[in-house]
Amino acid sequence: MNLTKTLHARSSDQCELCGDDHGLEPYCVPPKSSQDPDENILVCAECLDQIEHPDMTDPDHWRCLNDSMWSDIPAVQVVCFRMLTRLSDEGWPQDLLDILYLDDDVLAWAEQDQRKGN
């Protein structure tokens, strides 16, 4: 099964961050660069635009992370951590970061891109 089909099956044809079912596409979570489903997530166009363009971030859109941060998929956890960190000045994201638990290797992955200033 190809990556896109695998991600659609895993996510039940929904964005793995916000649950939207329109404009879905795979997103390889940096700095990973493989076709491994564990290093990719299925995201909607709105989430992808905001992930890739920090200046376009709408904090209210990301309230969905309250649910998706509990995913058992490491790539989803990494993106949740990064977005919550990006939005931490809003107040509520910091509350979620305070209760988010990531395994050491997932946390290292999540912080890796942060150190590059992304």
Side-chain angles (χ1 to χ4, degrees):
M1 188 180 301
N2 74 26
L3 177 65
T4 301
K5 288 182 181 180
T6 299
L7 296 177
H8 275 274
R10 177 177 81 191
S11 69
S12 300
D13 295 320
Q14 294 182 331
C15 175
E16 293 185 273
L17 299 173
C18 75
D20 192 0
D21 60 359
H22 293 89
L24 301 173
E25 60 185 272
Y27 171 70
C28 186
V29 180
K32 307 293 185 181
S33 61
S34 77
Q35 293 293 305
D36 182 339
D38 291 338
E39 298 176 353
N40 290 265
I41 62 175
L42 192 67
V43 295
C44 67
E46 185 170 357
C47 284
L48 183 59
D49 283 346
Q50 292 186 44
I51 289 168
E52 293 184 338
H53 303 99
D55 57 315
M56 295 175 52
T57 304
D58 172 12
D60 287 330
H61 175 77
W62 296 100
R63 291 190 179 268
C64 59
L65 298 179
N66 187 51
D67 295 324
S68 55
M69 69 185 233
W70 302 111
S71 172
D72 59 351
I73 299 162
V76 174
Q77 295 172 353
V78 167
V79 174
C80 289
F81 176 87
R82 290 177 182 173
M83 292 307 300
L84 289 170
T85 300
R86 181 187 298 177
L87 296 166
S88 63
D89 289 343
E90 295 289 320
W92 62 266
Q94 186 59 53
D95 294 339
L96 295 179
L97 280 169
D98 290 345
I99 61 172
L100 179 63
Y101 171 79
L102 300 178
D103 289 334
D104 290 341
D105 57 333
V106 175
L107 181 59
W109 177 13
E111 291 177 332
Q112 190 173 11
D113 199 52
Q114 299 296 312
R115 289 188 297 263
K116 292 181 181 178
N118 294 335

